[in-house]
Every structure is written in structure tokens, then in C-alpha cells.
Amino acid sequence: MKTKTWQIKDVAEQLQIHPQTLYYYERIGLLPTPQRTPAGYRQFTEVDIERLQFIQRAKALGFRLKEIRQLLELREQRTLTCWAVYEQLQQKIAAIEVQMLELQALKQELESLLQECHSRLGSVTMDQACTLLEESAAAS
């Protein structure tokens, strides 16, 4: 019995990703080199589709490609245990919390600049150059 296969355009359409993404994943090793037809067209199997869906889900959860590669390696070695997933999720949450703190600090800085900019609007003309960003760069 012959295994069903799909060409790159069909996979890209089915998963709603750009075909170049598939080439890239193959090039960086996230996706094994698929079999080819005698004419040289890539043939993707159900296993390839499942792997790509795993990659998409991990990306949607905020994992970087490097982290996804590690997860895939654990998955292939059949060592992607609940404990390993738990640890990966803990690390991801900790990284997100750091990013949130950094973004909050950035937001506060931007709000401060916005208030300063607003206070200057009454004393400048519409075509006058704004020096606020240069001044804030010099002060930091």
C-alpha cells in the first residue's frame, strides 16, 4: 500500500504557511529532507505534516526555533516526558515574565516622553523640529 504524499504547495496551503518556510525548516534541520519524486519534487508524508503542526503549535506558544529543535529532538528520542515539557514551560513562562517587566519599563518611559511632548505642544509651531528624543538620549 502506497503512503499518501503531498507536494510543497499542498502542504503550504493546508497548513497556511509560505512554501519558503518549508524550505527554511528543511535547511535549518527542523524538517528532515523529504523524499523526492523522479522529477525532483519534494514529497511530504503524514509524519512530516504532524511534525510541521507540532512546530506551528510550539511557535504559537512563543517557543523560538532553537527551543523547538530541542523539543523535537526529545520527541524523536521518545524522551519528551511530561517532566521535560513541564520544565520547558516553566522556562518559557519565566522568560515571558522578564519580557513583561522590560516592556512595562519601556511603556513607562514612553509615557513619560509622551507627557513631556504634550506639555511642549503649546509652545512650539507646527513645523518646528522636535528635539525631545535627542534630549532624552543625551540624558540617559
Short mmCIF file of all heavy atoms in Angstrom, two decimals, residues 62-112:
data_model
loop_
_atom_site.label_atom_id
_atom_site.label_comp_id
_atom_site.label_asym_id
_atom_site.label_seq_id
_atom_site.Cartn_x
_atom_site.Cartn_y
_atom_site.Cartn_z
N GLY A 62 4.98 30.59 21.65
CA GLY A 62 6.08 31.51 21.92
C GLY A 62 7.46 30.88 21.93
O GLY A 62 8.45 31.55 22.24
N PHE A 63 7.57 29.60 21.59
CA PHE A 63 8.89 28.97 21.57
C PHE A 63 9.65 29.42 20.33
O PHE A 63 9.09 29.57 19.25
CB PHE A 63 8.76 27.44 21.56
CG PHE A 63 8.33 26.87 22.88
CD1 PHE A 63 7.01 26.57 23.13
CD2 PHE A 63 9.26 26.65 23.89
CE1 PHE A 63 6.59 26.06 24.35
CE2 PHE A 63 8.86 26.13 25.12
CZ PHE A 63 7.52 25.85 25.34
N ARG A 64 10.94 29.69 20.52
CA ARG A 64 11.82 30.05 19.41
C ARG A 64 12.22 28.78 18.67
O ARG A 64 12.12 27.68 19.20
CB ARG A 64 13.05 30.79 19.94
CG ARG A 64 12.71 32.12 20.62
CD ARG A 64 13.98 32.85 21.04
NE ARG A 64 14.93 31.96 21.66
CZ ARG A 64 15.30 32.01 22.94
NH1 ARG A 64 14.80 32.92 23.74
NH2 ARG A 64 16.18 31.16 23.42
N LEU A 65 12.71 28.95 17.45
CA LEU A 65 13.07 27.78 16.64
C LEU A 65 14.13 26.91 17.32
O LEU A 65 14.08 25.68 17.23
CB LEU A 65 13.52 28.22 15.25
CG LEU A 65 12.43 28.87 14.39
CD1 LEU A 65 12.99 29.26 13.03
CD2 LEU A 65 11.22 27.97 14.24
N LYS A 66 15.06 27.53 18.01
CA LYS A 66 16.10 26.78 18.74
C LYS A 66 15.45 25.89 19.81
O LYS A 66 15.82 24.74 19.97
CB LYS A 66 17.10 27.75 19.36
CG LYS A 66 18.18 27.10 20.16
CD LYS A 66 19.11 28.15 20.78
CE LYS A 66 20.11 27.51 21.70
NZ LYS A 66 20.93 28.49 22.40
N GLU A 67 14.48 26.46 20.51
CA GLU A 67 13.79 25.70 21.56
C GLU A 67 12.94 24.58 20.94
O GLU A 67 12.87 23.47 21.47
CB GLU A 67 12.90 26.63 22.38
CG GLU A 67 13.68 27.66 23.16
CD GLU A 67 12.81 28.79 23.69
OE1 GLU A 67 11.82 29.19 23.03
OE2 GLU A 67 13.13 29.29 24.79
N ILE A 68 12.33 24.88 19.79
CA ILE A 68 11.52 23.88 19.11
C ILE A 68 12.40 22.72 18.64
O ILE A 68 12.01 21.55 18.74
CB ILE A 68 10.75 24.51 17.93
CG1 ILE A 68 9.72 25.51 18.47
CG2 ILE A 68 10.08 23.45 17.07
CD1 ILE A 68 9.05 26.36 17.41
N ARG A 69 13.60 23.04 18.17
CA ARG A 69 14.53 21.99 17.77
C ARG A 69 14.81 21.05 18.94
O ARG A 69 14.82 19.83 18.79
CB ARG A 69 15.83 22.58 17.24
CG ARG A 69 16.85 21.50 16.83
CD ARG A 69 18.16 22.03 16.29
NE ARG A 69 17.94 22.58 14.96
CZ ARG A 69 18.03 23.88 14.67
NH1 ARG A 69 18.33 24.76 15.60
NH2 ARG A 69 17.82 24.30 13.45
N GLN A 70 15.03 21.63 20.12
CA GLN A 70 15.29 20.81 21.31
C GLN A 70 14.08 19.94 21.64
O GLN A 70 14.24 18.76 21.97
CB GLN A 70 15.65 21.70 22.50
CG GLN A 70 16.96 22.42 22.34
CD GLN A 70 17.17 23.51 23.39
OE1 GLN A 70 16.24 23.96 24.04
NE2 GLN A 70 18.42 23.93 23.55
N LEU A 71 12.90 20.51 21.56
CA LEU A 71 11.69 19.74 21.82
C LEU A 71 11.53 18.60 20.81
O LEU A 71 11.16 17.48 21.17
CB LEU A 71 10.45 20.64 21.78
CG LEU A 71 10.30 21.64 22.92
CD1 LEU A 71 9.17 22.62 22.63
CD2 LEU A 71 10.07 20.91 24.24
N LEU A 72 11.82 18.89 19.54
CA LEU A 72 11.73 17.86 18.51
C LEU A 72 12.73 16.73 18.75
O LEU A 72 12.41 15.56 18.55
CB LEU A 72 11.94 18.47 17.12
CG LEU A 72 10.76 19.28 16.57
CD1 LEU A 72 11.19 20.06 15.34
CD2 LEU A 72 9.57 18.39 16.28
N GLU A 73 13.94 17.10 19.19
CA GLU A 73 14.95 16.08 19.48
C GLU A 73 14.48 15.18 20.61
O GLU A 73 14.61 13.95 20.53
CB GLU A 73 16.29 16.73 19.81
CG GLU A 73 16.98 17.34 18.62
CD GLU A 73 18.19 18.20 18.97
OE1 GLU A 73 18.55 18.30 20.17
OE2 GLU A 73 18.78 18.78 18.04
N LEU A 74 13.92 15.78 21.66
CA LEU A 74 13.39 14.99 22.77
C LEU A 74 12.24 14.10 22.28
O LEU A 74 12.14 12.93 22.66
CB LEU A 74 12.90 15.90 23.89
CG LEU A 74 13.96 16.69 24.65
CD1 LEU A 74 13.31 17.68 25.60
CD2 LEU A 74 14.89 15.74 25.40
N ARG A 75 11.41 14.66 21.43
CA ARG A 75 10.27 13.91 20.89
C ARG A 75 10.75 12.72 20.07
O ARG A 75 10.22 11.62 20.20
CB ARG A 75 9.43 14.87 20.04
CG ARG A 75 8.15 14.30 19.52
CD ARG A 75 7.38 15.42 18.80
NE ARG A 75 6.18 14.92 18.22
CZ ARG A 75 5.78 15.17 16.98
NH1 ARG A 75 6.52 15.93 16.19
NH2 ARG A 75 4.66 14.69 16.52
N GLU A 76 11.75 12.94 19.22
CA GLU A 76 12.27 11.85 18.38
C GLU A 76 12.95 10.76 19.20
O GLU A 76 12.89 9.59 18.85
CB GLU A 76 13.25 12.42 17.35
CG GLU A 76 12.56 13.20 16.26
CD GLU A 76 13.55 13.95 15.38
OE1 GLU A 76 14.77 13.85 15.58
OE2 GLU A 76 13.06 14.67 14.49
N GLN A 77 13.60 11.16 20.28
CA GLN A 77 14.28 10.20 21.14
C GLN A 77 13.31 9.53 22.11
O GLN A 77 13.70 8.73 22.94
CB GLN A 77 15.40 10.89 21.94
CG GLN A 77 16.48 11.48 21.09
CD GLN A 77 17.34 12.47 21.86
OE1 GLN A 77 17.19 12.66 23.07
NE2 GLN A 77 18.26 13.12 21.16
N ARG A 78 12.05 9.92 21.99
CA ARG A 78 11.00 9.42 22.88
C ARG A 78 11.29 9.74 24.34
O ARG A 78 10.97 8.97 25.23
CB ARG A 78 10.78 7.93 22.68
CG ARG A 78 10.47 7.53 21.26
CD ARG A 78 9.24 6.67 21.20
NE ARG A 78 8.98 6.16 19.87
CZ ARG A 78 8.18 6.76 18.99
NH1 ARG A 78 7.59 7.86 19.30
NH2 ARG A 78 7.95 6.23 17.81
N THR A 79 11.94 10.89 24.55
CA THR A 79 12.22 11.34 25.92
C THR A 79 11.52 12.66 26.21
O THR A 79 11.89 13.35 27.15
CB THR A 79 13.74 11.48 26.15
OG1 THR A 79 14.28 12.39 25.19
CG2 THR A 79 14.45 10.15 26.07
N LEU A 80 10.53 12.99 25.39
CA LEU A 80 9.74 14.19 25.64
C LEU A 80 8.69 13.83 26.69
O LEU A 80 7.53 13.61 26.39
CB LEU A 80 9.09 14.72 24.37
CG LEU A 80 8.38 16.07 24.49
CD1 LEU A 80 9.32 17.15 25.00
CD2 LEU A 80 7.78 16.48 23.17
N THR A 81 9.19 13.72 27.91
CA THR A 81 8.33 13.33 29.01
C THR A 81 7.51 14.51 29.50
O THR A 81 7.80 15.66 29.17
CB THR A 81 9.19 12.80 30.18
OG1 THR A 81 10.01 13.89 30.65
CG2 THR A 81 10.06 11.63 29.76
N CYS A 82 6.52 14.21 30.31
CA CYS A 82 5.73 15.28 30.92
C CYS A 82 6.63 16.19 31.74
O CYS A 82 6.44 17.40 31.78
CB CYS A 82 4.62 14.68 31.78
SG CYS A 82 3.31 13.94 30.80
N TRP A 83 7.64 15.61 32.40
CA TRP A 83 8.56 16.40 33.21
C TRP A 83 9.37 17.35 32.32
O TRP A 83 9.56 18.51 32.67
CB TRP A 83 9.48 15.49 34.02
CG TRP A 83 10.37 16.26 34.94
CD1 TRP A 83 11.71 16.44 34.81
CD2 TRP A 83 9.99 16.98 36.11
NE1 TRP A 83 12.18 17.24 35.83
CE2 TRP A 83 11.15 17.59 36.64
CE3 TRP A 83 8.77 17.19 36.75
CZ2 TRP A 83 11.13 18.37 37.78
CZ3 TRP A 83 8.76 17.98 37.90
CH2 TRP A 83 9.93 18.55 38.40
N ALA A 84 9.84 16.85 31.17
CA ALA A 84 10.61 17.70 30.25
C ALA A 84 9.74 18.84 29.73
O ALA A 84 10.20 19.98 29.64
CB ALA A 84 11.15 16.86 29.09
N VAL A 85 8.50 18.55 29.40
CA VAL A 85 7.58 19.59 28.93
C VAL A 85 7.33 20.59 30.06
O VAL A 85 7.34 21.81 29.83
CB VAL A 85 6.25 18.98 28.43
CG1 VAL A 85 5.21 20.07 28.16
CG2 VAL A 85 6.50 18.16 27.17
N TYR A 86 7.13 20.10 31.26
CA TYR A 86 6.90 20.95 32.42
C TYR A 86 8.07 21.93 32.60
O TYR A 86 7.86 23.13 32.78
CB TYR A 86 6.74 20.08 33.67
CG TYR A 86 6.54 20.85 34.95
CD1 TYR A 86 5.28 21.34 35.30
CD2 TYR A 86 7.60 21.08 35.81
CE1 TYR A 86 5.10 22.05 36.48
CE2 TYR A 86 7.42 21.78 37.00
CZ TYR A 86 6.17 22.26 37.32
OH TYR A 86 6.00 22.96 38.48
N GLU A 87 9.29 21.42 32.51
CA GLU A 87 10.48 22.28 32.66
C GLU A 87 10.56 23.32 31.55
O GLU A 87 10.87 24.48 31.80
CB GLU A 87 11.75 21.43 32.70
CG GLU A 87 11.92 20.65 33.98
CD GLU A 87 13.17 19.78 33.98
OE1 GLU A 87 13.58 19.30 32.90
OE2 GLU A 87 13.73 19.60 35.07
N GLN A 88 10.28 22.90 30.32
CA GLN A 88 10.31 23.83 29.19
C GLN A 88 9.26 24.93 29.37
O GLN A 88 9.53 26.10 29.11
CB GLN A 88 10.06 23.09 27.86
CG GLN A 88 11.20 22.21 27.41
CD GLN A 88 12.39 23.02 26.92
OE1 GLN A 88 12.23 24.12 26.39
NE2 GLN A 88 13.58 22.49 27.09
N LEU A 89 8.08 24.54 29.82
CA LEU A 89 7.02 25.53 30.02
C LEU A 89 7.37 26.49 31.15
O LEU A 89 7.13 27.70 31.05
CB LEU A 89 5.69 24.83 30.31
CG LEU A 89 5.09 24.05 29.13
CD1 LEU A 89 3.86 23.28 29.58
CD2 LEU A 89 4.77 24.97 27.97
N GLN A 90 7.97 25.97 32.21
CA GLN A 90 8.42 26.85 33.31
C GLN A 90 9.43 27.87 32.81
O GLN A 90 9.35 29.06 33.14
CB GLN A 90 9.05 26.01 34.43
CG GLN A 90 8.11 25.54 35.47
CD GLN A 90 8.87 24.92 36.64
OE1 GLN A 90 9.87 24.22 36.47
NE2 GLN A 90 8.39 25.19 37.84
N GLN A 91 10.40 27.42 32.03
CA GLN A 91 11.42 28.32 31.49
C GLN A 91 10.79 29.37 30.58
O GLN A 91 11.17 30.55 30.61
CB GLN A 91 12.48 27.53 30.73
CG GLN A 91 13.35 26.67 31.61
CD GLN A 91 14.28 25.77 30.82
OE1 GLN A 91 14.42 25.91 29.61
NE2 GLN A 91 14.90 24.81 31.49
N LYS A 92 9.84 28.95 29.76
CA LYS A 92 9.18 29.88 28.84
C LYS A 92 8.40 30.93 29.62
O LYS A 92 8.45 32.12 29.32
CB LYS A 92 8.28 29.12 27.87
CG LYS A 92 7.56 29.98 26.86
CD LYS A 92 8.43 30.92 26.08
CE LYS A 92 9.37 30.30 25.13
NZ LYS A 92 10.21 31.28 24.43
N ILE A 93 7.70 30.52 30.65
CA ILE A 93 6.93 31.46 31.47
C ILE A 93 7.86 32.44 32.17
O ILE A 93 7.59 33.65 32.21
CB ILE A 93 6.04 30.70 32.49
CG1 ILE A 93 4.90 30.00 31.75
CG2 ILE A 93 5.50 31.64 33.56
CD1 ILE A 93 4.11 29.02 32.58
N ALA A 94 8.99 31.96 32.68
CA ALA A 94 9.96 32.85 33.34
C ALA A 94 10.50 33.88 32.34
O ALA A 94 10.62 35.07 32.67
CB ALA A 94 11.09 32.04 33.94
N ALA A 95 10.79 33.44 31.13
CA ALA A 95 11.28 34.37 30.10
C ALA A 95 10.22 35.40 29.74
O ALA A 95 10.52 36.59 29.55
CB ALA A 95 11.72 33.59 28.86
N ILE A 96 8.98 34.98 29.66
CA ILE A 96 7.89 35.90 29.35
C ILE A 96 7.73 36.92 30.46
O ILE A 96 7.49 38.11 30.19
CB ILE A 96 6.58 35.11 29.10
CG1 ILE A 96 6.67 34.37 27.77
CG2 ILE A 96 5.36 36.04 29.13
CD1 ILE A 96 5.54 33.38 27.54
N GLU A 97 7.86 36.49 31.71
CA GLU A 97 7.75 37.43 32.83
C GLU A 97 8.84 38.49 32.78
O GLU A 97 8.57 39.67 33.04
CB GLU A 97 7.78 36.66 34.16
CG GLU A 97 6.49 35.89 34.40
CD GLU A 97 6.53 34.98 35.61
OE1 GLU A 97 7.63 34.70 36.15
OE2 GLU A 97 5.45 34.53 36.02
N VAL A 98 10.05 38.10 32.40
CA VAL A 98 11.14 39.07 32.24
C VAL A 98 10.79 40.05 31.12
O VAL A 98 10.95 41.27 31.27
CB VAL A 98 12.48 38.35 31.97
CG1 VAL A 98 13.54 39.33 31.50
CG2 VAL A 98 12.94 37.59 33.20
N GLN A 99 10.30 39.51 30.00
CA GLN A 99 9.92 40.38 28.88
C GLN A 99 8.82 41.35 29.29
O GLN A 99 8.84 42.52 28.89
CB GLN A 99 9.43 39.54 27.70
CG GLN A 99 10.53 38.81 26.96
CD GLN A 99 9.97 37.94 25.85
OE1 GLN A 99 8.96 37.26 26.02
NE2 GLN A 99 10.64 37.95 24.72
N MET A 100 7.87 40.87 30.07
CA MET A 100 6.77 41.74 30.50
C MET A 100 7.29 42.87 31.37
O MET A 100 6.84 44.03 31.23
CB MET A 100 5.72 40.91 31.25
CG MET A 100 4.91 40.01 30.32
SD MET A 100 3.81 38.86 31.17
CE MET A 100 2.75 39.94 32.09
N LEU A 101 8.24 42.59 32.25
CA LEU A 101 8.83 43.64 33.08
C LEU A 101 9.56 44.66 32.22
O LEU A 101 9.45 45.87 32.43
CB LEU A 101 9.77 43.04 34.13
CG LEU A 101 9.09 42.25 35.26
CD1 LEU A 101 10.15 41.54 36.11
CD2 LEU A 101 8.22 43.16 36.10
N GLU A 102 10.32 44.15 31.23
CA GLU A 102 11.05 45.04 30.33
C GLU A 102 10.08 45.90 29.51
O GLU A 102 10.30 47.10 29.33
CB GLU A 102 11.95 44.24 29.40
CG GLU A 102 13.12 43.59 30.11
CD GLU A 102 13.88 42.58 29.24
OE1 GLU A 102 13.39 42.21 28.15
OE2 GLU A 102 14.97 42.16 29.69
N LEU A 103 9.00 45.30 29.05
CA LEU A 103 8.01 46.05 28.27
C LEU A 103 7.29 47.08 29.14
O LEU A 103 6.99 48.19 28.67
CB LEU A 103 7.00 45.10 27.62
CG LEU A 103 7.52 44.30 26.43
CD1 LEU A 103 6.50 43.24 26.01
CD2 LEU A 103 7.85 45.22 25.26
N GLN A 104 7.03 46.74 30.38
CA GLN A 104 6.38 47.68 31.29
C GLN A 104 7.29 48.89 31.54
O GLN A 104 6.83 50.03 31.53
CB GLN A 104 6.02 47.00 32.62
CG GLN A 104 5.19 47.85 33.54
CD GLN A 104 3.83 48.23 32.95
OE1 GLN A 104 3.20 47.46 32.26
NE2 GLN A 104 3.40 49.45 33.22
N ALA A 105 8.57 48.64 31.73
CA ALA A 105 9.53 49.74 31.93
C ALA A 105 9.60 50.61 30.66
O ALA A 105 9.63 51.84 30.75
CB ALA A 105 10.91 49.19 32.28
N LEU A 106 9.61 49.97 29.50
CA LEU A 106 9.63 50.72 28.23
C LEU A 106 8.36 51.55 28.09
O LEU A 106 8.41 52.72 27.70
CB LEU A 106 9.77 49.76 27.05
CG LEU A 106 9.74 50.37 25.66
CD1 LEU A 106 10.85 51.39 25.48
CD2 LEU A 106 9.83 49.27 24.61
N LYS A 107 7.22 50.96 28.42
CA LYS A 107 5.96 51.69 28.35
C LYS A 107 5.98 52.92 29.25
O LYS A 107 5.56 54.01 28.85
CB LYS A 107 4.80 50.77 28.74
CG LYS A 107 3.45 51.45 28.69
CD LYS A 107 2.35 50.50 29.13
CE LYS A 107 1.03 51.25 29.10
NZ LYS A 107 0.21 51.02 30.24
N GLN A 108 6.50 52.76 30.46
CA GLN A 108 6.57 53.90 31.38
C GLN A 108 7.47 55.00 30.83
O GLN A 108 7.16 56.18 30.93
CB GLN A 108 7.05 53.43 32.76
CG GLN A 108 6.01 52.61 33.50
CD GLN A 108 6.55 52.01 34.78
OE1 GLN A 108 7.74 52.07 35.08
NE2 GLN A 108 5.65 51.40 35.55
N GLU A 109 8.58 54.60 30.23
CA GLU A 109 9.49 55.59 29.64
C GLU A 109 8.80 56.32 28.49
O GLU A 109 8.89 57.55 28.36
CB GLU A 109 10.77 54.91 29.16
CG GLU A 109 11.80 55.87 28.63
CD GLU A 109 13.10 55.18 28.22
OE1 GLU A 109 13.28 53.98 28.49
OE2 GLU A 109 13.94 55.88 27.63
N LEU A 110 8.09 55.58 27.64
CA LEU A 110 7.39 56.20 26.52
C LEU A 110 6.27 57.12 27.00
O LEU A 110 6.06 58.20 26.44
CB LEU A 110 6.82 55.12 25.59
CG LEU A 110 7.85 54.34 24.78
CD1 LEU A 110 7.19 53.18 24.07
CD2 LEU A 110 8.58 55.24 23.80
N GLU A 111 5.56 56.70 28.05
CA GLU A 111 4.50 57.56 28.59
C GLU A 111 5.08 58.86 29.15
O GLU A 111 4.48 59.92 29.00
CB GLU A 111 3.71 56.80 29.67
CG GLU A 111 2.79 55.75 29.09
CD GLU A 111 2.12 54.88 30.14
OE1 GLU A 111 2.62 54.79 31.29
OE2 GLU A 111 1.08 54.27 29.80
N SER A 112 6.23 58.76 29.77
CA SER A 112 6.89 59.95 30.29
C SER A 112 7.26 60.89 29.14
O SER A 112 7.06 62.11 29.23
CB SER A 112 8.14 59.55 31.09
OG SER A 112 8.85 60.67 31.50
#
